[in-house]
Amino acid sequence: MKIVDARVIISSPGRTFVTLKIITSDGGVTGVGDATLNGRELAVAAYLSEHVIPTLIGRDPARIEDTWQYLYKGAYWRRGPVTMTAIAAVDTALWDIKGKVAGLPVYQLLGGRSREGVTVYGHASAETTEEVLTEVARYVDRGYKAVRVQTGVPGMASTYGVSPDERYEPADAAIPTENVWSTPRYLTNVPTVFARVRDEFGPDLRLLHDVHHRLTPIEAARLGKSLEPYALTWIEDPVPAELQEGFRLIRQHTTTPIAVGEVFNSIWDCETLIREQLVDYIRATVVHAGGITHLRRIFDLAALHHVRSGSHGATDLSPVCMAAALHLDIAIPNFGLQEYMGFPPEADDVFPHSWHYADGYLHPGEDPGLGVDINEQEAARYPYKPASLPINRLTDGTLHDW
């Protein structure tokens, strides 16, 4: 069997997704991989079309590891989100093909089930505490066992993570919009929100909160300390992760668990954090961390150091990536949680899939391969629509981490 063709499909059914489809010489067996990089979608599409696809034609699709190394080492300019997202698309599509040829779902090729279902968390967001209590209750009624809680900050016109739609999509304009931020107001407000949520829903519901890289280490330590009475499962991305020594300072001051990694794209981004046990959950994901092959390496390293998975699963991951994530989630021994925001109906039409939600869990399905495909006729109904992530400024106008 050889790869005889591959193409990049860009479609915007609710938001923009980039999909790689690989076609083989064996009866038209195909595989799909997600290549979406939020706000930089066309960069990955061009990387694949101009630099990767020509090298794939004639290769044996069964040689997944060799192809991964070929694309990683052969580029010379290693890592980076564009390169690793392109590699992830190829890798995921090849796993899809391998599963179809074997007649097995991909998780069986990864060692089989380690659990019956994948525990997911949803996003409860609202401007006020009273409104967010209603949103949390809505998730509890649907069987969710874990909920991320985000509210508006009093005095701020907008706040990260707050949206009238549960499928919060911050990439909202072709040219980035600007938000305004106040750390003191935020740090004062958050503990009061979680006091109400925990009082309302009791000790069993798993609660999470996304800081979104906005604090300094000592500010993050203060936040973690203030949230200890409410037993959060994690605070996510408390500080920008470029200076990883900052996590040591946070660890010295709070026992609130830490999750990080949605912007990581290789094992080298997480190695120190994992080996020194400075975090509790790694949130790297299939599409941005080099595919199933490389993300499995990250999770295997994490398993040796009491760190669990908590993969990113926002709206900038297509149903193809969600399928790949679920096959990995259900197989690894150190699974923690999987983010799941759902998809609009038009995205489900473009990407028919066998994975499904039931009572707080996602299930990957039993179809051979990933159990997901792209309907190219439906995809063509949703032409590319550019959208950029916002930027963030402090109240005095200083550019701040968004």
Side-chain angles (χ1 to χ4, degrees):
M1 181 190 292
K2 300 293 183 183
I3 296 172
V4 296
D5 195 11
R7 54 180 174 266
V8 176
I9 304 157
I10 304 172
S11 181
S12 298
R15 63 104 48 231
T16 299
F17 299 117
V18 180
T19 307
L20 176 68
K21 187 168 188 175
I22 294 178
I23 300 164
T24 73
S25 59
D26 188 1
V29 175
T30 64
V32 290
D34 187 10
T36 306
L37 183 62
N38 199 347
R40 297 293 183 268
E41 294 91 349
L42 297 186
V44 183
Y47 190 103
L48 284 166
S49 296
E50 301 297 326
H51 303 291
V52 173
I53 289 176
T55 71
L56 296 178
I57 307 305
R59 292 185 65 87
D60 180 355
R63 297 180 63 174
I64 297 176
E65 180 65 37
D66 182 67
T67 299
W68 196 97
Q69 297 294 338
Y70 178 86
L71 295 175
Y72 181 80
K73 295 178 179 178
Y76 185 73
W77 309 105
R78 301 182 184 184
R79 298 192 281 165
V82 174
T83 295
M84 296 302 281
T85 300
I87 292 174
V90 175
D91 182 81
T92 304
L94 295 183
W95 277 105
D96 190 22
I97 290 169
K98 187 174 284 288
K100 290 173 180 174
V101 171
L104 294 170
V106 165
Y107 79 81
Q108 293 287 14
L109 305 181
L110 299 173
R113 290 177 181 267
S114 290
R115 55 200 48 83
E116 295 306 311
V118 173
T119 307
V120 295
Y121 69 91
H123 290 201
S125 74
E127 285 295 335
T128 69
T129 302
E130 294 299 329
E131 291 169 337
V132 88
L133 292 173
T134 300
E135 291 301 302
V136 174
R138 187 167 61 86
Y139 278 101
V140 171
D141 290 344
R142 291 161 59 187
Y144 279 74
K145 297 163 178 59
V147 181
R148 193 187 86 167
V149 177
Q150 310 289 139
T151 66
V153 176
M156 295 287 97
S158 62
T159 306
Y160 166 78
V162 176
S163 169
D165 185 345
E166 68 179 272
R167 290 183 292 270
Y168 170 67
E169 172 51 73
D172 58 0
I175 303 299
T177 57
E178 295 196 11
N179 298 161
V180 179
W181 176 253
S182 170
T183 296
R185 292 178 181 179
Y186 167 78
L187 290 175
T188 298
N189 183 62
V190 172
T192 66
V193 173
F194 279 93
R196 290 289 308 281
V197 175
R198 186 57 81 195
D199 182 65
E200 181 81 14
F201 294 96
D204 294 333
L205 182 64
R206 301 175 72 175
L207 300 178
L208 308 91
H209 178 68
D210 188 0
V211 185
H212 219 249
H213 325 274
R214 296 186 171 202
L215 302 180
T216 65
I218 201 65
E219 289 167 347
R222 173 185 162 190
L223 175 66
K225 191 75 173 176
S226 69
L227 292 174
E228 285 178 10
Y230 315 116
L232 269 64
T233 295
W234 74 47
I235 53 173
E236 176 185 334
D237 292 332
V239 297
E242 289 93 337
L243 182 62
Q244 299 194 348
E245 290 182 2
F247 288 85
R248 296 193 187 102
L249 182 60
I250 301 171
R251 276 288 203 228
Q252 292 169 7
H253 292 280
T254 182
T255 58
T256 297
I258 299 169
V260 71
E262 71 180 48
V263 298
F264 289 176
N265 54 71
S266 84
I267 197 169
W268 308 111
D269 295 316
C270 359
E271 182 192 14
T272 298
L273 295 176
I274 290 172
R275 289 192 188 279
E276 297 190 19
Q277 300 181 48
L278 298 177
V279 298
D280 303 276
Y281 295 87
I282 282 291
R283 285 182 36 75
T285 191
V286 170
V287 67
H288 299 143
I292 293 171
T293 296
H294 194 64
L295 187 57
R296 179 63 184 263
R297 289 195 180 100
I298 294 173
F299 289 160
D300 284 346
L301 177 65
L304 300 177
H305 296 85
H306 309 290
V307 176
R308 287 176 281 182
S309 73
S311 287
H312 182 59
T315 51
D316 57 350
L317 280 67
S318 85
V320 174
C321 185
M322 181 58 69
L326 295 176
H327 284 278
L328 193 52
D329 290 338
I330 210 160
I332 60 173
N334 56 324
F335 171 76
L337 285 174
Q338 171 67 56
E339 182 178 20
Y340 175 57
M341 295 181 67
F343 297 95
E346 55 266 37
D348 288 331
D349 292 339
V350 170
F351 299 97
H353 52 78
S354 62
W355 57 261
H356 60 280
Y357 170 84
D359 194 29
Y361 301 96
L362 280 176
H363 302 270
E366 296 301 316
D367 290 354
L370 295 175
V372 64
D373 203 351
I374 182 167
N375 183 324
E376 295 187 57
Q377 287 185 323
E378 280 294 313
R381 295 180 56 210
Y382 303 98
Y384 169 65
K385 181 179 180 181
S388 297
L389 294 168
I391 63 171
N392 204 29
R393 294 186 184 273
L394 301 180
T395 53
D396 69 356
T398 303
L399 197 67
H400 191 61
D401 292 290
W402 177 76

